Amino acid sequence: LGSSFNMAATGLSGDVMADPYGGALCLVLYGLFYAVPLYKTNNLTLSDFYCERYGSKMGVFSAIVNTIGYLLWTAGQIVGLGLITSRTWGVPSEVGSLICTAIIVIYTFRGGMYAVAWTECFESVVIIICLIVMAVEVGRTSGTGWSEAYTRFGEKMEPDPSNSSKVKAWLNLFA
């Protein structure tokens, strides 16, 4: 949500250029160094691993920290869904949050994790189609194609030179 707001407020001139790289790097590093050894332990969660390796107190502590983190992350997603529904359907954002939460709870309870996986797959296809349509539309409506679109919106598409500090760039990459 922070990157979306930053992009809307400053275009690509803010710190949003580094955002996807940090997440991708974390996934690659986790996959390279942690995924296979953890898979071999037959644990379902990291908290199970901590419990097995460091004792039950650390396992419970890890479960509590993870639960708090996921609750905050989920709350942010629900607020975002509420804002999207308020803008698209014209309902108050609280009502949109309740509607979206009800839909998610119903399909998760009815279909389990398979329903969640299929929903994620469907969402990914919709996002890709929308990005392609948006790119074609920007090129079409800019008058003369991509060069005109880039010229018109260039100031929003260029990274901010004041953010070019090497330390900040690396911190953004790993954050």
Side-chain angles (χ1 to χ4, degrees):
L1 294 173
S3 294
S4 301
F5 174 79
N6 200 11
M7 177 69 180
T10 63
L12 293 178
S13 63
D15 290 333
V16 291
M17 289 298 291
D19 183 57
Y21 301 112
L25 182 65
C26 287
L27 286 174
V28 168
L29 290 175
Y30 183 84
L32 288 174
F33 297 110
Y34 295 107
V36 173
L38 283 173
Y39 182 74
K40 290 178 182 175
T41 64
N42 291 324
N43 290 319
L44 294 177
T45 65
L46 282 175
S47 298
D48 292 339
F49 171 75
Y50 290 138
C51 185
E52 182 181 291
R53 177 97 182 230
Y54 302 109
S56 62
K57 287 182 182 179
M58 183 55 82
V60 170
F61 176 73
S62 172
I64 291 169
V65 169
N66 285 331
T67 301
I68 291 169
Y70 279 118
L71 284 174
L72 292 173
W73 179 81
T74 304
Q77 297 298 312
I78 291 171
V79 168
L81 286 170
L83 291 173
I84 290 169
T85 55
S86 73
R87 299 280 163 83
T88 56
W89 296 348
V91 298
S93 60
E94 296 82 8
V95 173
S97 292
L98 289 173
I99 291 169
C100 290
T101 302
I103 291 169
I104 292 167
V105 167
I106 289 168
Y107 79 70
T108 302
F109 274 117
R110 293 203 29 100
M113 288 309 290
Y114 285 115
V116 174
W118 279 110
T119 302
E120 293 285 334
C121 182
F122 175 72
E123 288 171 0
S124 298
V125 169
V126 169
I127 288 170
I128 290 168
I129 291 170
C130 289
L131 286 173
I132 291 169
V133 168
M134 182 184 67
V136 169
E137 190 65 18
V138 166
R140 187 182 68 76
T141 60
S142 65
T144 60
W146 289 105
S147 60
E148 174 69 22
Y150 188 79
T151 304
R152 284 170 111 187
F153 303 110
E155 69 278 354
K156 288 283 193 178
M157 298 173 79
E158 290 292 328
D160 187 0
S162 67
N163 288 339
S164 62
S165 149
K166 296 268 188 217
V167 173
K168 187 172 184 180
W170 280 103
L171 288 174
N172 284 337
L173 184 68
F174 288 109

